[in-house]
Amino acid sequence: MGELKTLIFLGCTKSGSSKDAIEAAKQLGFYNILFTNRKSFLERRGAFPHVDKMILVNLDNRDAILAKLDKLQSNGADIRAIVSFMDSYVSLAANLGEQLGLPTQSGEAIDLVQNKIAFRESLQDTQYSVPFQIIHDDSEDTALDLNLPVVVKSPRSTGSKDVLLATSHGDFRKHVEYLQTKYPDHEILVEEYIIGQQYLAEVLVHDGIPHVVAIVEQSITLDERFIVTGYCVLPTLPSGLMDQVQEMVNTVRELIGMQVGAFHVEFKVSQRGCKIIEVNPRISGAAMNRMISYAFGINLVKETIRSLFGEKPDLMRQKENFVYTQYVTAKQCGVLTKATGKVQAMRVPFVQEVFIIQRKNAILSTPFSMGHRYAYVIAAADSAREAKTAAMQAAARIHFHIRLAKYDGSRKMGKR
């Protein structure tokens, strides 16, 4: 191991961009070591063929991670970088890399973006800002200062878990009370709900220059939470809109000061132009890397790693397809006994990939976070209509066979 250039990964999911990154690193010739806090991953070692060594460690304990790194280096490991493609650990990876003098993404930029209130305040003098207010943790004044409807969120939220729509003052008070109970020592962010189509811009920054790699139209299912169930990668946009997106991305990069690394911007196109909903300092998770690959032939996680080491990323499109990804959620809560329809779904024309995320005996829930999406279908075609139709037809063939749970404990706190 001492003669091999080693990449340390903090955290990984069973599928998606973080796992794709490990495969990409192997293609680039790295010896991959995965630090994970999931014991089940060690028990299912064969599911991670591109991980050369897997180490169980508490990823919330910085000292424990440093001790593991020190031991590896003492044993001759040539650690070239510490990376993460997960929201929970991308900041930690950057900060550890800076501490050890390794190539890394811009740590301060990551920290600013992940502090949703600080980032929202930094945006407020730009044309991309939305009206907002902050309810402080020590304040008894919870009056709404914005026009309804509004979005009430915890600055700690990820995956839509604590992002709630309020269409009435009653909703607003209920959501604030819920978040104050769940996070008693934290502020609450309230934003005006913007009417308009929602998009996602995937961006890679190299040498301080932001490159818009893909624009993705999002389809939102709104019940108790905002759940993205459909993504359409668009090869082209009207020139005027593309210019606005590029200007918006340039503004974000300047505000956060990122010199190298990936980020994505969720935004809406309203009558007042592009309005930023959220920015995250990484490529989107789930199947985003694969969508971009099917659309343009670009492996974004691979180019992100290359950029980290000073190599100019190859972002030239090899092809241009419309790609639509449809996610499948459960209609009821319970224990998964089996999932059927994958073979039939793959037979639908234009379908490129069908993936069942959960295994037998997993506990499924009706969706109240992005983590409650249990399968996806990716289709690629010459038009958005063909790709979407194929993905939705294929997704309709996937069925989760569920043994009903005695009660729905997962919904107790979050129900509106």
Side-chain angles (χ1 to χ4, degrees):
M1 186 173 68
E3 297 179 357
L4 301 173
K5 57 179 185 177
T6 299
L7 213 53
I8 305 292
F9 286 85
L10 300 187
C12 180
T13 53
K14 291 181 289 185
S15 64
S17 298
S18 61
K19 192 174 182 183
D20 288 351
I22 295 176
E23 180 178 355
K26 178 56 62 178
Q27 294 171 1
L28 292 169
F30 286 99
Y31 182 89
N32 295 327
I33 299 180
L34 173 63
F35 283 14
T36 180
N37 54 5
R38 302 178 67 171
K39 189 176 180 181
S40 61
F41 280 15
L42 279 78
E43 296 167 352
R44 296 181 55 234
R45 188 67 180 77
F48 300 88
H50 301 100
V51 173
D52 297 293
K53 185 178 181 66
M54 193 179 293
I55 297 176
L56 186 66
V57 62
N58 181 357
L59 293 177
D60 295 320
N61 187 328
R62 185 188 183 99
D63 290 337
I65 295 171
L66 285 168
K68 296 289 187 183
L69 292 170
D70 184 63
K71 184 176 180 180
L72 286 169
Q73 290 179 320
S74 297
N75 291 334
D78 180 16
I79 298 175
R80 300 293 182 91
I82 302 167
V83 298
S84 183
F85 287 78
M86 296 183 64
D87 188 78
S88 301
Y89 309 117
V90 64
S91 175
L92 177 60
N95 291 324
L96 286 172
E98 289 175 346
Q99 180 177 337
L100 299 179
L102 301 172
T104 182
Q105 296 191 77
S106 307
E108 289 186 6
I110 292 172
D111 291 341
L112 174 58
V113 170
Q114 289 194 322
N115 184 331
K116 290 182 171 61
I117 287 179
F119 180 68
R120 181 58 71 190
E121 289 175 334
S122 72
L123 269 180
Q124 63 184 338
D125 292 329
T126 74
Q127 62 183 306
Y128 311 110
S129 179
V130 301
F132 70 97
Q133 74 177 90
I134 299 166
I135 298 177
H136 297 281
D137 59 315
D138 58 352
S139 173
E140 296 182 0
D141 182 10
T142 59
L144 179 61
D145 298 331
L146 304 172
N147 295 322
L148 288 165
V150 294
V151 178
V152 185
K153 64 172 70 172
S154 164
R156 300 162 58 91
S157 70
T158 58
S160 300
K161 286 192 292 293
D162 297 308
V163 181
L164 305 163
L165 177 66
T167 59
S168 69
H169 286 279
D171 279 349
F172 170 72
R173 288 190 294 270
K174 183 164 53 177
H175 296 337
V176 169
E177 182 180 346
Y178 163 63
L179 291 177
Q180 285 179 329
T181 301
K182 187 172 183 179
Y183 303 109
D185 299 321
H186 293 87
E187 297 168 313
I188 295 171
L189 183 59
V190 185
E191 300 170 349
E192 182 180 300
Y193 179 74
I194 303 298
I195 306 278
Q197 175 62 51
Q198 185 160 313
Y199 295 88
L200 178 69
E202 290 290 346
V203 182
L204 181 58
V205 181
H206 183 73
D207 286 342
I209 300 174
H211 302 272
V212 178
V213 180
I215 304 292
V216 185
E217 186 178 278
Q218 296 179 311
S219 297
I220 310 292
T221 298
L222 179 57
D223 182 9
E224 293 189 4
R225 300 293 191 275
F226 297 85
I227 310 297
V228 183
T229 51
Y231 297 83
C232 187
V233 184
L234 304 172
T236 59
L237 283 178
S239 59
L241 178 56
M242 191 63 224
D243 290 342
Q244 289 182 52
V245 171
Q246 186 64 62
E247 290 176 8
M248 176 183 66
V249 164
N250 291 343
T251 298
V252 170
R253 198 228 52 93
E254 290 173 6
L255 282 174
I256 65 178
M258 182 171 282
Q259 293 299 310
V260 60
F263 67 84
H264 64 271
V265 185
E266 289 183 279
F267 65 99
K268 284 191 173 182
V269 177
S270 72
Q271 293 180 341
R272 294 174 287 167
C274 295
K275 298 296 179 182
I276 292 177
I277 306 301
E278 193 162 284
V279 176
N280 290 293
R282 54 178 173 80
I283 180 179
S284 299
M288 184 56 65
N289 189 66
R290 306 183 79 77
M291 294 181 223
I292 295 172
S293 179
Y294 287 121
F296 307 132
I298 297 170
N299 187 332
L300 183 52
V301 292
K302 185 176 184 178
E303 300 310 318
T304 301
I305 294 171
R306 292 182 65 239
S307 173
L308 184 67
F309 290 97
E311 297 182 45
K312 184 178 180 181
D314 183 2
L315 303 177
M316 182 71 68
R317 294 181 178 182
Q318 306 302 314
K319 54 187 175 182
E320 288 194 341
N321 292 318
F322 287 88
V323 167
Y324 196 91
T325 297
Q326 179 66 39
Y327 276 85
V328 185
T329 58
K331 294 182 174 60
Q332 56 188 348
C333 302
V335 178
L336 179 66
T337 59
K338 64 179 178 178
T340 58
K342 180 177 180 179
V343 173
Q344 294 88 336
M346 278 299 302
R347 290 175 179 158
V348 175
F350 305 120
V351 168
Q352 307 296 312
E353 184 175 330
V354 178
F355 188 81
I356 309 296
I357 298 169
Q358 291 293 355
R359 304 171 70 206
K360 182 180 178 181
N361 294 325
I363 297 175
L364 305 190
S365 169
T366 50
F368 67 97
S369 84
M370 301 280 262
H372 296 140
R373 303 179 301 180
Y374 299 123
Y376 65 75
V377 175
I378 303 178
D382 292 333
S383 72
R385 182 183 61 80
E386 287 178 316
K388 182 176 182 178
T389 299
M392 295 187 73
Q393 286 179 353
R397 301 185 183 190
I398 297 173
H399 297 283
F400 300 124
H401 300 260
I402 294 175
R403 184 174 72 250
L404 296 182
K406 291 182 180 179
Y407 68 96
D408 181 11
S410 65
R411 308 281 277 191
K412 282 186 175 180
M413 288 296 294
K415 190 170 180 60
R416 294 198 292 114

